[in-house]
Amino acid sequence: MRTTLLSILCLLVGTKYPSAQLTGRVLDGNGLPIPYANATVHNASDNTLHSGTLTDESGSFLLELSEEGAYILQISLLSFQSWNSEVFIVSSKPFEKDFPSIVLKEEITQLEGVAVTGQRKLIQRTQEGSVINVQESILTQGSSALQVLERAPGVILDRRNNSFSLNGRSGTLVMINGKAQRIPIADLMALLNGMSADNIQKIELLTNPSSKYDADGNAGIINIVLNKNEALGLRGSIGLSGGYGEGPKQTSNFSLNYGGNHSSLFGTYTFSYDDSSSGWRGVGVTDLPVLGGNTNIVFTSNSQQINRNHNVNFGYEHRFSEQLLLGANILYNHSRPLVFTRNRGLYDFVIDPFLDARIHLNGDGNRKNGTASMYFEKNGKNTENESTFSITMDYVNYNNKAPNFVNSTYFDQNGNPFQPDSEIYNQGNRGFNETDIKLGVLKIDYSEKLNETFSMEAGIKGSYSQTDNDARIEIQQGDDFVSDERFISRIGTTEKIAAVYSLADYQWSKNLKIQLGLRYENWTQDFSDATLNRNFGKLFPSFFLNHSLSDTTALRFAYTKRITRPNYSDLASFLSYNGPTSVFSGNPQLLPAITDNLTLTYSNKSLSVTLAAANEDNPFARFQITKNPQSTVAVIAPVNLEYQRSLEIQTNIPVRISHWWNMNLNATAGIREFKLLHTAEKVTHNYPHFNVNGSQTWLLPKDFSFELSGWYTSRHFNGSARVDGFGILNFGLKKSFGNNANLQLSITDIFESFDIRSQVGTLTREAFGDEFEVNYSSESGRSRIYNVSFTYSFGNRKVRETQARTGAASEKSRL
């Protein structure tokens, strides 16, 4: 009705011959066109309507004016905040004015108790990557943040090796609300596994971050943005979920938001309990001297893990004026993982005929991770330019205590217990490990829009951290435990990272936009062992070129340089017990990895096709078999490859079959080449690969909806280990009620297909001639995971969205 009346009104005004033209394009916050928005011109003196029209499918508009005078252009649409231009003068004929892209901010409006909102697409493309609006997926409700991340396009989560990769490349920086998570990767996965996805607004997959972002992460940045709303009044939500896979699971979360005209307060609390299990089986042969030569081994491992997680997110923001605001927020996680692992190794020796080793490992962890942030922002605006000045400060405190106890028993071929003579067969051991990290970050940014075609941004950032790690393993001898110098690691680290960046955007013409950025980072690490000290400084440029071919199509070129720094645990020269024939260790000689990325993207509305090329120098490969002078057994450690190169085609294809059936398909296919350095033969190898991620959503009668989603990655390599293809398919069914309540059933891994098969020794001879086939099964690969969840929202639905601010953009991900 509103648009009809407006169209009639537009026909009744402006009856003279046109003498001036106004053009422009209206976009949403993600750069997508907004069709059917109202574009109206008003007299500047009394705000009377002079002319008007609607934007077309591409978000473009054309307005004609017949009189000279002073005017204001207004863009409006229900569920968006209105936009008003500065006053402009029509003083001569003919007159033409083309407005730069106009971005409308989303707004939820109260209409007699009915909240009308604009629905976002599940996946939206941006200049620097893509945005996953996770709340648009039925499977989000009742899931953990880790499960949602695992379903994101291009993200491969290797639960066996505790690692992330993005579009097939490792070295991924994981952030929460812009704060990089500089904690051990296993602890990060535990944190995300205990975080409810109901509290996540979106996930940003930044495969081409500009220079304003930290340079860490060769494959890019994964930023998890939590829900934080500035409510007019009181608003909250309650969520409960329960499920079962190999063990029971439950999640409870509560959020509350309160705000007035100047202040807002928000908070969320989540408790989760997850009883899960996983395991692996390895079969092969090794030539360890300590075992007397070639030995056939069958090794099985089964782990049960009970995770109890508490997550708290709290924030406050005060707006002194339209230009000035001050805020603070706290994110805290406390988890208590209990781990029970049962290993069994069957050894068929050359000199000794047979050994059955049974090893029980019990661990009781205690992890605490807290981040406190404060931010200040001042906005300036006049008739010529706009500017923003911001300061953010962060303090991070992380502590992890992980004691464990290992009991070992040995049996001969007849099943009789006995104690082998070699020192590698101890009766048991106990481990103590405590890591403590304190980190401070200061970040200052300034941006200014100088005119309609040129804007710039610059900033500085500094971080300072202290890390203390105390780890040791004591060997059981009779009733006593004795320290072994081979298994003691006490290391302290001081790290300083200083960065400065500048960024410039220039609208070269109506269809061509250029962005040029330059970032310099200096990284210094001082260890208690001075031989490990390092200092590294480097420039990281970024370049983006966006050419609009039409109102709906564009061509984008991007170049970025990135770095992946070794984790602290990667560098530490510790030895950790794995079994009689192998230990885990770090690698003090590990070098940082540098990557150059080139992409060329063609987009037509929501469809996009990207040609991507990357060259990685010194990329990491973790869990490789190496030799260590400190040990007579195999040492499993991270190593550098000489290089890895890739050429890929990436696609995002949304398909709207009807108003009730939507599909989305993401795929990557290409070829990779790498060169090994840690094996005797420095092998170069190339191979084709692909991965796909897709979802289908059906809107059914009576407010039911149904979703199928899944992903698959083809055969690939982790260093010298070949990994076969694997993937899963998920199911979700949701019922929405009129009182802001939702009930959902989800099934994870319908076909129990999450099994990872890998082979060692297929490319070249390993350190000890190892040839093994390993089969890892996650929990869903053993048993489907069923989950039922219920959410209820209450309070005022008139909400303005706000985000927590932070400057710790890369400081919590490398441990």
Side-chain angles (χ1 to χ4, degrees), residues 92-103:
S92 61
K93 303 176 183 179
F95 176 87
E96 293 184 358
K97 183 175 179 61
D98 181 48
F99 289 86
S101 295
I102 300 169
V103 179

Side-chain angles (χ1 to χ4, degrees), residues 24-37 55-61 75-77 79-83 99-106 124-126 507 510 513 546 548 550-554 556 605:
R25 194 170 183 222
V26 183
L27 308 174
D28 63 16
N30 296 296
L32 298 177
I34 300 179
Y36 312 119
T55 59
D56 59 20
E57 290 288 343
S58 68
S60 301
F61 65 86
I75 307 296
S76 62
L77 183 63
S79 79
F80 288 91
Q81 298 178 20
S82 296
W83 179 91
F99 289 86
S101 295
I102 300 169
V103 179
L104 296 187
K105 298 180 179 179
E106 292 189 61
Q124 295 173 314
R125 302 293 300 180
T126 67
Q507 190 77 39
K510 179 181 178 180
K513 182 178 180 180
N546 194 329
S548 297
S550 70
D551 291 336
T552 58
T553 60
R556 295 193 298 270
K605 297 182 180 179

